[in-house]
Amino acid sequence: MTTEVSRDSRRSTALSTPPPSRWMRWTAHAVPLIALPSSLWRLAMTVGVPVGYSDAVLRTDYGLPGSGYFVLPLITVLQELAALLTLGLVSNWGLVAPRWLPFIGGRPVRTWAAVVPAALGALILTVVTFSQYLAWDKVDSGSLDDAHRSVMGWCYAPLLLWGPLLGVVTVSYYLRRRRQR
């Protein structure tokens, strides 16, 4: 009986929330793709693709060879996982926590439990990426030639969209959940 009640509450949460618009789904799916170029650039550097840094800079600034073989892929994986969390705002697992999660698995996700971290993430990402953009003329100016610096810039520039797009998807999620009540 208890499982039937919990299943019914999960179903009612998922069914009573209006589905996201096609645009919001596309926007949410764009976020992991936006994070991908910088991830690929970082992984290329890790596996030895010449990205323009001298061996001395790779050793002192990025720990290559050495700890960078662990740290840079870890940063990449964490970045992509964080970007993939945006999909929860347009998926059923953003309405009902997946069963495999300890303590909360199978329970409805409280609106604020998703909106607050997503909104804070959008704000932090926007501030960090735009502050880095404003300081771009000072970033690695002595370590990279113009061609390699341009490639790096084109790989990192899409990150400027991550915060604002996450913010848009977060507002959409909040408005959909508010209509649910």
Side-chain angles (χ1 to χ4, degrees), residues 17-172:
T17 302
S21 71
R22 179 179 294 156
W23 287 105
M24 280 308 115
R25 285 189 181 280
W26 288 354
T27 303
H29 282 82
V31 171
L33 297 175
I34 283 168
L36 193 58
S38 62
S39 294
L40 293 175
W41 187 88
R42 199 177 306 106
L43 288 176
M45 181 174 60
T46 304
V47 298
V49 173
V51 294
Y53 287 121
S54 68
D55 288 341
V57 170
L58 288 172
R59 190 172 29 264
T60 58
D61 292 356
Y62 297 100
L64 293 171
S67 64
Y69 290 129
F70 172 74
V71 173
L72 295 173
L74 179 64
I75 291 169
T76 298
V77 167
L78 292 176
Q79 176 179 311
E80 285 300 321
L81 287 174
L84 286 168
L85 284 175
T86 306
L87 298 177
L89 298 172
V90 296
S91 302
N92 281 340
W93 55 273
L95 303 173
V96 178
R99 288 194 165 284
W100 55 266
L101 287 173
F103 307 112
I104 64 167
R107 293 186 181 168
V109 174
R110 293 178 188 240
T111 303
W112 291 107
V115 169
V116 170
L120 287 173
L123 179 64
I124 291 167
L125 284 165
T126 302
V127 168
V128 168
T129 56
F130 278 89
S131 68
Q132 292 301 300
Y133 171 74
L134 294 175
W136 178 249
D137 60 334
K138 297 168 191 70
V139 173
D140 294 322
S141 57
S143 303
L144 291 173
D145 61 32
D146 287 340
H148 286 104
R149 196 160 182 271
S150 292
V151 171
M152 180 184 177
W154 283 107
C155 288
Y156 277 84
L159 292 178
L160 292 167
L161 297 173
W162 187 354
L165 292 180
L166 176 57
V168 167
V169 175
T170 302
V171 169
S172 170

